[in-house]
Amino acid sequence: MNTKYFFLLSIIAFISCNKYDGPSSEIIMSISFSKTGDAQKTLAGNYFNDSIAVYVSGYEYGNSVSGLAAILTIEKGGGSVAQSNPDIVNGYFSTKWKSGATSCDQRLRVDIYSKNNTLINQLYFHGNAFRTGIWDTITSPPDVLISDILADTSSHKTLMINSNGLFRQKDDYFNWEQYYIGQISPFRLFIDRNGFIYLSTWNGEIYKSIDGGNFWSLCQSPIEGHPYYYYMTVSNDGYLWASTPQYPKSLRCSRDGGLTWTADTAGLNEDELVGDVYRLSTGDLLFHTKSTSLYKSTDDGKSWKPEPAPEYSIKLYVTDKEEIIIINQDNGITIYKSTDLGQTYKKVYNVLPEYGTTMEKSIIKKGDYYYILIPGYGIIRTPDFDNFETFWRNTEIVYLYLTYDGVIICKGFSNDVVYYYHE
């Protein structure tokens, strides 16, 4: 990463010529500094790809500055540099920086000394070294701005969106490159059973890609002329579902990949918004709303009836074995499980978190485990929704993501920190 920063240092001497003159000033030294190689990422114990370099130019007493030297000190993270005390030749020096493993955050200080051994400036380089089996903390963009992540296992790609646009994961799981598809304001990412990817925007647009995110086309709008974001999901049968608080009975469904939409709201309360939708093996559809209601449809989503379930639910999930999972707010957060397609529910887990909020992005399947993020508590995991263990206690996180290659990423409400976990 060839980022460059500039610094200007000027030293002013005050001289009084005689008792009748006022004070005057003269600049005896003026030096500018710049650097490249800041804000790089690598695996712990590896060299950063780019050398770090410092550029110095200026003058002292009217002559070009010379005789400068630098001392490099590792302040955080461990690691080493190829040269710790390089001379600055022709206003320049560079060296390779090898990361350490004592923390993800790596920091290197460069002390610049004049020819008479006076410290005249300090520069800092920062980097990140990613480790295995440890939660790595990142506080720099574009990571901290993440608003959604999509794992496309069919094309072996991971897409990410933030307020600046669309990004794709590079060869290393922690490096992102921006992919420009026009002036958009991304809101959420989805994928259907065919591997088609959908990107919704804050402006009410829905884009579709059938080639893993290389080319995008604009879908038909669920509600013509609607200029704001939709709450959306893609059910496991490939149907697209969208709704908005701007209109009563706003639920819309597309059964053809966003080409056409129908208003299938019979039996719904007028203010219901999309949460989770699942197709069962019986052909029935379960629709969980943001207002904690659960509905069932037996006619392909044309009409709906309230479905008995634990009250005040905030999340619906259906496992690979078609076990219906309901998470509600009984005594904090309680998980219920049904093995008979919703006829009965069994309480399987309870925890009292520090606060409650959305569980929109809160369950992922990785290997033999389901991981559940409970805001205000942390992440638990289970192989069967009968036996649970605390995986990571962190009360700040609220969003849980998974890359195609199995890296867990999570973050909180604020855009100041994001966490990576690579086994």
Side-chain angles (χ1 to χ4, degrees):
M1 181 176 294
N2 291 317
T3 53
K4 183 174 287 188
Y5 295 83
F6 295 91
F7 306 87
L8 180 63
L9 174 67
S10 296
I11 299 176
I12 301 174
F14 290 93
I15 304 170
S16 180
C17 296
N18 57 59
K19 65 180 180 179
Y20 300 107
D21 295 331
S24 62
S25 64
E26 176 188 5
I27 298 177
I28 62 173
M29 178 184 290
S30 179
I31 307 177
S32 63
F33 302 84
S34 63
K35 63 180 181 178
T36 60
D38 198 23
Q40 297 186 70
K41 298 175 180 178
T42 191
L43 293 172
N46 287 4
Y47 282 98
F48 291 105
N49 287 336
D50 299 328
S51 296
I52 59 171
V54 171
Y55 304 82
V56 183
S57 62
Y59 62 88
E60 183 178 9
Y61 293 107
N63 299 314
S64 296
V65 68
S66 62
L68 301 181
I71 295 179
L72 280 61
T73 303
I74 301 293
E75 287 201 335
K76 191 174 184 181
S80 61
V81 289
Q83 294 176 281
S84 60
N85 190 15
D87 290 329
I88 300 176
V89 179
N90 296 323
Y92 168 84
F93 85 83
S94 70
T95 189
K96 294 293 290 183
W97 181 12
K98 185 178 182 180
S99 68
T102 58
S103 73
C104 181
D105 184 20
Q106 308 278 304
R107 187 167 68 240
L108 169 67
R109 188 183 79 242
V110 180
D111 296 324
I112 308 294
Y113 289 87
S114 68
K115 58 186 176 183
N116 62 2
N117 204 33
T118 299
L119 178 65
I120 60 174
N121 201 10
Q122 290 181 325
L123 306 178
Y124 291 88
F125 288 87
H126 298 83
N128 291 115
F130 289 78
R131 302 160 295 171
T132 301
I134 297 174
W135 284 99
D136 285 321
T137 303
I138 310 300
T139 57
S140 58
D143 311 63
V144 293
L145 302 175
I146 288 172
S147 56
D148 204 0
I149 288 177
L150 177 74
D152 182 2
T153 54
S154 60
S155 64
H156 302 288
K157 292 180 180 178
T158 301
L159 301 182
M160 180 268 283
I161 55 174
N162 65 24
S163 56
N164 294 320
L166 174 68
F167 293 77
R168 289 191 290 199
Q169 189 181 39
K170 299 175 72 174
D171 292 338
D172 292 319
Y173 65 87
F174 44 77
N175 281 325
W176 303 92
E177 61 179 352
Q178 189 161 8
Y179 182 66
Y180 294 93
I181 61 173
Q183 296 297 319
I184 61 170
S185 299
F187 182 60
R188 290 291 184 269
L189 287 166
F190 309 91
I191 191 168
D192 67 18
R193 62 181 181 178
N194 298 313
F196 299 161
I197 300 172
Y198 301 88
L199 185 156
S200 68
T201 76
W202 285 95
N203 302 321
E205 302 152 324
I206 301 172
Y207 291 87
K208 177 180 179 180
S209 175
I210 63 174
D211 63 357
N214 295 307
F215 176 79
W216 297 83
S217 58
L218 189 62
C219 295
Q220 182 70 27
S221 178
I223 300 176
E224 197 63 36
H226 177 62
Y228 306 112
Y229 65 91
Y230 291 97
Y231 291 111
M232 279 188 63
T233 193
V234 177
S235 49
N236 55 325
D237 57 2
Y239 287 9
L240 280 65
W241 305 85
S243 60
T244 170
Q246 305 296 322
Y247 304 96
K249 291 205 169 185
S250 66
L251 180 67
R252 300 293 185 269
C253 178
S254 177
R255 298 169 175 84
D256 54 13
L259 296 176
T260 61
W261 298 82
T262 57
D264 299 326
T265 60
L268 296 178
N269 293 330
E270 66 175 22
D271 59 348
E272 301 291 18
L273 298 173
V274 169
D276 305 297
V277 183
Y278 285 90
R279 171 84 67 177
L280 301 178
S281 59
T282 60
D284 297 343
L285 283 164
L286 292 180
F287 171 36
H288 185 263
T289 75
K290 290 190 176 297
S291 61
T292 75
S293 298
L294 183 65
Y295 294 88
K296 178 189 282 189
S297 173
T298 59
D299 58 1
D300 200 41
K302 303 289 194 308
S303 63
W304 303 90
K305 291 183 180 179
E307 178 72 0
E311 292 184 307
Y312 310 115
S313 57
I314 56 178
K315 186 67 179 176
L316 164 70
Y317 186 80
V318 178
T319 71
D320 295 340
K321 296 180 180 180
E322 211 166 48
E323 300 155 325
I324 299 174
I325 306 300
I326 293 289
I327 302 178
N328 81 348
Q329 302 166 83
D330 288 348
N331 192 29
I333 290 293
T334 298
I335 300 177
Y336 291 88
K337 173 182 174 180
S338 174
T339 57
D340 54 12
L341 298 180
Q343 296 183 50
T344 60
Y345 285 90
K346 172 187 175 183
K347 178 180 176 181
V348 293
Y349 184 82
N350 173 261
V351 69
L352 186 62
E354 292 185 5
Y355 59 87
T357 184
T358 177
M359 291 190 68
E360 176 188 2
K361 301 282 182 177
S362 59
I363 302 178
I364 59 174
K365 176 74 184 300
K366 172 178 159 59
D368 296 329
Y369 285 92
Y370 297 92
Y371 294 77
I372 306 105
L373 190 158
I374 299 175
Y377 180 78
I379 300 174
I380 61 174
R381 71 176 185 176
T382 174
D384 51 15
F385 278 93
D386 287 314
N387 303 285
F388 296 83
E389 63 179 350
T390 298
F391 182 68
W392 189 36
R393 192 82 161 85
N394 185 333
T395 61
E396 301 299 321
I397 53 176
V398 293
Y399 298 113
L400 181 65
Y401 309 107
L402 185 69
T403 68
Y404 90 88
D405 47 357
V407 178
I408 299 175
I409 301 176
C410 54
K411 61 171 293 185
F413 285 119
S414 60
N415 292 323
D416 57 8
V417 63
V418 65
Y419 304 94
Y420 286 76
Y421 184 83
H422 183 216
E423 290 183 320

